[in-house]
Amino acid sequence: MSGGPDTGVIGVLLVDDHAIVRRGVQAYVASVPTLRVLGEAADGQQAVELLHQWQTTGEPLPDVVLMDLQMPRMDGVAATAAIARAHPGVKVVILTSFGEVERVHAALAAGAAGYVLKDADPAEVATAITAAAAGEVHLDSAVARQLARRMAAPQAGLTSLTSREREILALVAQGHSNRDIADRLVISERTARTHVSNVLSKLQLSSRTQAALLAIREGLISPPA
């Protein structure tokens, strides 16, 4: 992880155009021993430039970018797409409010790994960051039903999936990492990763979080309580 070699610390970049929000988030991220803020940006453009600068100078990139949606110059959706293209190993978690469902969908389609509400408590923000860094799914119960209802049905539907792929989809939706899936199904982690990639490709999805929301929409799993 980018927090340092073998430290187990998750490096985070905070992106929000309100300094007071960045200070507040930094305060409670800093209170979690497994998280470390590596930097801040006031908009999407600055975030993209900062990541490019760090990569050019050989500085460690963050594991997770905590990204606001509505910002000047470059908004969170455009910045997420740019980061997903240039730095596929960096996960983006969207900082959102309850009324931004359409924008969250757009960010997930652009490659965001997950989302968390701005008024979530510090423990939930830490959980969302940690889940994204580990390749797992964290769904906020207050928004998941809204997001799932507005998910567009895939052209081929779940009928395009094999029974094993449906099983994989359900496990992804329940928040399991590739390693967890491999252990549960007694397969290699590489095989689990291939199955997950096939599921996302067949359903034309960009992220595990999108897959989880689709699984809720299709009744494969229940929404989070």
Side-chain angles (χ1 to χ4, degrees):
M1 293 184 181
S2 300
D6 302 318
T7 62
V9 175
I10 298 169
V12 181
L13 172 63
L14 303 180
V15 187
D16 196 294
D17 58 326
H18 294 103
I20 192 167
V21 173
R22 296 198 307 273
R23 281 198 296 271
V25 174
Q26 176 158 12
Y28 59 71
V29 166
S31 72
V32 181
T34 55
L35 304 179
R36 188 171 79 184
V37 176
L38 299 183
E40 299 180 16
D43 57 52
Q45 183 67 40
Q46 187 180 10
V48 170
E49 291 170 355
L50 191 55
L51 290 174
H52 176 71
Q53 176 188 323
W54 286 347
Q55 185 175 54
T56 301
T57 57
E59 295 180 59
L61 294 178
D63 299 285
V64 175
V65 176
L66 201 55
M67 178 84 71
D68 188 25
L69 283 173
Q70 298 190 61
M71 296 178 290
R73 294 207 300 166
M74 181 186 287
D75 68 13
V77 175
T80 295
I83 291 169
R85 284 193 304 269
H87 311 286
V90 176
K91 307 297 184 184
V92 177
V93 173
I94 297 300
L95 265 175
T96 184
S97 58
F98 196 77
E100 294 183 308
V101 172
E102 294 304 327
R103 281 194 171 90
V104 174
H105 269 308
L108 292 173
Y115 65 90
V116 65
L117 286 174
K118 286 185 177 180
D119 60 358
D121 61 48
E124 185 158 7
V125 175
T127 298
I129 292 171
T130 304
E136 300 169 358
V137 172
H138 172 73
L139 296 178
D140 180 276
S141 58
V143 190
R145 286 180 174 82
Q146 279 196 59
L147 286 169
R149 277 199 302 269
R150 300 194 191 189
M151 279 289 293
Q155 196 165 6
L158 298 189
T159 56
S160 64
L161 303 182
T162 65
S163 58
R164 172 48 63 95
E165 287 169 343
R166 286 173 68 93
E167 189 176 11
I168 295 283
L169 174 59
L171 290 171
V172 166
Q174 290 161 6
H176 295 290
S177 65
N178 291 340
R179 182 174 297 177
D180 291 338
I181 292 170
D183 290 344
R184 281 172 171 262
L185 301 182
V186 197
I187 57 178
S188 71
E189 189 173 348
R190 182 177 179 179
T191 300
R193 189 181 305 114
T194 299
H195 278 310
V196 171
S197 295
N198 288 342
V199 167
L200 295 179
S201 177
K202 283 185 176 182
L203 297 177
Q204 298 179 309
L205 301 175
S206 304
S207 71
R208 299 169 83 100
T209 297
Q210 282 184 306
L213 293 168
L214 181 64
I216 292 171
R217 181 188 186 280
E218 298 292 320
L220 201 58
I221 68 164
S222 299

